Amino acid sequence: MVKELPKTYDFSENEARLYQWWWDSGYFKPTNDPCEPGFDPDKKPFVISIPPANVTGELHLGHAMVVALEDLMIRYHRMKGEPTLWVPGTDHAGIATQLQVEKMLRRQGATRRELGREKFLAHAWAWKEKYGDIINQQIRRLGASCDWSRERFTLDDGLSQAVREAFVCLFEKGWIYRGPRMINWSPGLQTAVSDLEVEYTQEPAKLYYFRYQIAGSDEFIPVATTRPETILGDTAVAVHPDDERFLHLVGENALVPILGREIPVIADDYVDREFGTGALKITPGHDPNDYEIGVKHNLAFINVLNKDATINEKGGPYNGLDRFACREKLWADMEDAGLVIKVEPYMMKVPRSQRGGEVIEPMVSTQWFVDVKEMATAALQVVREGQVEINPGRFKKVYYNWMENIQDWCISRQLWWGHRIPVWYCQDCNEITVTREDPEECQHCGSNSLQQDPDVLDTWFSSALWPFSTLGWPKHTPDLTYFYPTSVMETGYDILFFWVARMLMAGIEFTGQAPFHTVYLHGLIRDEHGQKMSKTKDNVIDPLEVMDALGTDALRFTLLVGSTPGNDMSLSIKKVESNRNFANKLWNAGRFVIGNIDQIPPHPQDTPEWTLADSWIWARMKGLRQSVNSLFEKYQFGEAGRQIYDFFWGEFADWYLEISKDQIAAGGDRAFYTIQTLVRIFDTCLRFLHPYTPFVTESLWGHLSSACNERTHHLSPDGGWEEALIIAQWPMPLPMEGWESTAVEDFSLIQEMIRAIRNIRSEYKVQQGQKIACTISAGSLKGLMESQSQVFVSLAGIDPQAFAVVESPLEPSDEHITLVVTPVEISLPLAGLVDVAAEKERLTKELAEAESQIKRLEKLLTGPFSEKAPSQVVENEREKLAAYHETAARIRQQLG
């Protein structure tokens, strides 16, 4: 006796149980493991390295998108029988973690400076042990089928060894150096930060216009700036070489306001003559564009800021002032000196720290850098030659532009949490020692008086090594030999340069191979109005809350079918609710199919005689197999999901499942082969949907396979039922045999006819259970129509005693409604649809009302109203008039 499924699907009961069962059963591990007996090195694996989440993080929609997409790919390739590995892990997240630990210490009344480096790091590791696994537990909630036995952390011993090896190799090649360059400085965090950690916000500001006085002359050059405090660090005034207004002043000296320091007037075609005054103050120490001009013209580089963004001694009388206080004081002094022209309001992009929120200062600072030009050339080549594909392809142009204009990479950070830079300074000979192991003495003079560089490496340095360091590099491990290069790197398009490009550079440099063959870029998730989600806008959707309320499958399916490669998507709770309903529809269909398995004998008596509906659903499924597999190969997972959804709901559930009820009721072989068809089509749907909605499909598939095995082997798919859906065979395309197009064409005509009849029933408000008469003029299709009489009876509400099919054309009649569905005609008697007298009375009243409104609106629009009222209001009234005319015409036609 087949066990009946519960009426509703309880996702809260199923998800945790199924996930633990998958893991305990070893399904997340690769089936061909180089560390296990029976390993076959010739089997090609499919491998993804998960973008490591920050240990400080809590699950957000960005994580949910990454996990859903990567888990879909992993489950798909696992079902195709490929050895599949998804390497999980977390990032130490230098700045973010250090901030969290410092906040904790402040609550305890301590600071990191008071504790010292060693004790602070002990607190940081304790914090990581306590909170660092929260994000991984949340990722598990999403159904991520990672091999957790291979989980890595960017500060674990193996990855630390990889970072040390990479640094030393690059240093030995002369590509790592220390020197002064322009960087992003965070005054609050007291460290250099990467471009990714700087967020630009459009904010109201001021444009300050002032005079740059020419030395020894009454002439001046008008200049505008948004940051008056940086005037103190100016080392030139630049004009365009074709600007006749200032050309005679090129080569002269100008006087820095208040300080009186002389600086040259130079010509450079970077200057935009149309912006501001057409002249630029040049501050090479505090502006990235000015920095380039400073290098080009060999200008002085003056840094006027301390690390806390107060003015230093180079600022003269403003020494010690906060940068913004200095701005006000300097401007007031310039006004007193008669140098101010005007101040205008101005909207500008302000760079702010992603973590602290304070304004970032461009600053020339002595840091460690990597000269990446040669590595960038190699990373460009693998994409240009097609060894690495970027999907969607339009991002190749962005990639090329970044890589062709790449700047040296600032890799040092003034933090304590992270990979400490493996450089030691000798206190005796002032030389540096760079080694793979901590040195005991100076490489140059033998002194043991060594002091390690206090800075740590940029988090992105260790992340760049992620695809191969997680597999054991620099050691030649079995995992590295078999699983590297990996297959796909899936991530957001916003870090194509910050992370993907650096992984390509590092992979090629250290392993001689690109670390993956495909880059799949997803877009950002916005709210239902296309707005960026933020706490200030109160439009943030918490994926954990959504999963608690609506289930993981509903969230995953929404993200996956709503996305296309490289494009942003809009998300609303209504969409997730709709897909929760889809999971329920799936469950209800499963209850029907599984509940009918007991209704058939263990085996058929004869070979099958397929009905048109049987042939149609098989033909449509064969078409779906071809389409879905083609779309998966092109990484068009969203469109594939939409097609699976439309097939299951719009064809299988709405049509075939309804028709099957009569076929099952017929008993015998008809019932047997109908249930066999239901089982096999439903089985295929579950296999296709599993990468999208793993929990509900695994649960249903377990019930389905158990019910079939209990009843008869004749319901089993080719090869039998596997032990779990997660490792079941993926439905591959089946060859077309020629009959499919005819079945689809014939049944599509039946569908169109049924829809036409349903529309008339709806228009005339015929009660759902009321049967109506129907005559079909079918010509040469008479046999087809007669064979589908039961379908018309069941799905169109036709009275079987009043259903007729004729070859001859229908005679026109005022007492019938004639529907033309080429090449057939359908005649429905009005008497069967409505009370003709009552319907005529109703229509007459509606016509009178429509004509009354027409008369009123025509009078309104021909009077003064049309000239005095706003144009949009007048247009609205005209649209109402047109609509009433259409209504009146339709009613007249119905009245005859």
Side-chain angles (χ1 to χ4, degrees), residues 623-866:
L624 184 70
R625 280 174 171 248
Q626 289 188 336
S627 181
V628 168
N629 277 280
S630 174
L631 289 166
F632 262 69
E633 288 170 7
K634 297 171 184 174
Y635 296 90
Q636 294 293 332
F637 306 121
E639 179 57 28
R642 286 187 286 275
Q643 290 191 15
I644 300 166
Y645 177 102
D646 289 344
F647 172 84
F648 171 78
W649 195 311
E651 299 184 49
F652 178 68
D654 282 358
W655 289 91
Y656 186 74
L657 194 142
E658 293 302 318
I659 292 171
S660 73
K661 294 173 182 177
D662 287 328
Q663 295 188 178
I664 293 170
D669 280 4
R670 172 67 69 235
F672 181 91
Y673 286 115
T674 298
I675 290 176
Q676 185 186 67
T677 300
L678 283 168
V679 166
R680 294 193 175 179
I681 298 295
F682 189 58
D683 166 47
T684 306
C685 287
L686 293 177
R687 291 173 193 249
F688 272 149
L689 285 166
H690 182 70
Y692 296 88
T693 55
F695 293 109
V696 66
T697 52
E698 183 73 80
S699 182
L700 278 169
W701 197 85
H703 289 295
L704 180 69
S705 58
S706 296
C708 290
N709 282 330
E710 284 179 24
R711 187 63 180 166
T712 172
H713 70 277
H714 289 280
L715 296 179
S716 301
D718 295 339
W721 297 97
E722 296 90 338
E723 62 187 53
L725 179 57
I726 190 175
I727 55 167
Q729 186 177 351
W730 179 258
M732 298 301 290
L734 298 172
M736 292 295 182
E737 301 169 70
W739 55 266
E740 294 90 352
S741 59
T742 301
V744 170
E745 183 179 341
D746 287 349
F747 193 79
S748 296
L749 176 60
I750 303 300
Q751 286 179 298
E752 200 173 342
M753 294 168 67
I754 291 171
R755 289 191 189 102
I757 297 170
R758 285 174 172 176
N759 288 340
I760 289 296
R761 290 178 64 102
S762 175
E763 185 176 341
Y764 282 88
K765 299 179 176 59
V766 178
Q767 291 183 1
Q768 190 172 352
Q770 181 181 338
K771 299 293 183 180
I772 62 173
C774 173
T775 302
I776 298 174
S777 170
S780 61
L781 298 178
K782 184 172 183 289
L784 172 64
M785 296 301 140
E786 288 176 336
S787 72
Q788 300 305 302
S789 60
Q790 187 56 47
V791 175
F792 284 108
V793 167
S794 297
L795 300 190
I798 303 300
D799 182 351
Q801 305 303 317
F803 177 72
V805 181
V806 298
E807 289 186 20
S808 57
L810 298 172
E811 292 292 330
S813 170
D814 292 340
E815 296 180 356
H816 290 75
I817 293 175
T818 300
L819 305 173
V820 179
V821 182
T822 307
V824 303
E825 289 185 348
I826 305 167
S827 177
L828 305 174
L830 275 170
L833 297 173
V834 292
D835 180 327
V836 177
E839 179 66 8
K840 188 171 182 180
E841 183 180 351
R842 181 184 69 81
L843 289 173
T844 301
K845 286 181 180 179
E846 288 186 7
L847 178 59
E849 172 62 21
E851 289 174 338
S852 172
Q853 292 294 336
I854 290 169
K855 186 176 180 181
R856 180 185 68 82
L857 288 168
E858 285 179 340
K859 182 178 179 181
L860 180 69
L861 291 168
T862 54
F865 169 82
S866 60

Side-chain angles (χ1 to χ4, degrees), residues 61 125 177 205 222 226 298 343 390 420 885:
L61 285 173
W125 276 104
Y177 65 92
T226 56
N298 198 27
V343 179
I390 296 177
R420 194 164 177 182
H885 273 300

Side-chain angles (χ1 to χ4, degrees), residues 207-239:
L207 195 56
Y208 299 83
Y209 292 79
F210 66 98
R211 294 178 174 88
Y212 240 115
Q213 203 71 39
I214 301 300
S217 167
D218 292 335
E219 289 192 82
F220 66 88
I221 298 176
V223 176
T225 181
T226 56
R227 301 158 67 210
E229 66 277 12
T230 63
I231 293 171
L232 302 171
D234 287 356
T235 57
V237 177
V239 299

Side-chain angles (χ1 to χ4, degrees), residues 101-102 104-106 108-124 416:
V101 177
E102 289 196 50
M104 177 189 72
L105 291 173
R106 279 198 297 273
Q108 298 171 3
T111 69
R112 70 179 171 109
R113 298 291 180 191
E114 291 169 350
L115 286 175
R117 188 169 197 138
E118 189 174 337
K119 288 184 178 179
F120 174 81
L121 288 176
H123 280 283
W416 288 353

Side-chain angles (χ1 to χ4, degrees), residues 127 249 286 309 340 367 371 453 484 503 521 621 721 724 727 835 838 874:
W127 188 95
L249 296 176
H286 293 286
V340 167
Q367 303 282 344
D371 181 344
D453 193 298
Y484 186 83
M503 283 189 286
L521 301 172
M621 173 53 81
W721 297 97
I727 55 167
D835 180 327
V874 174

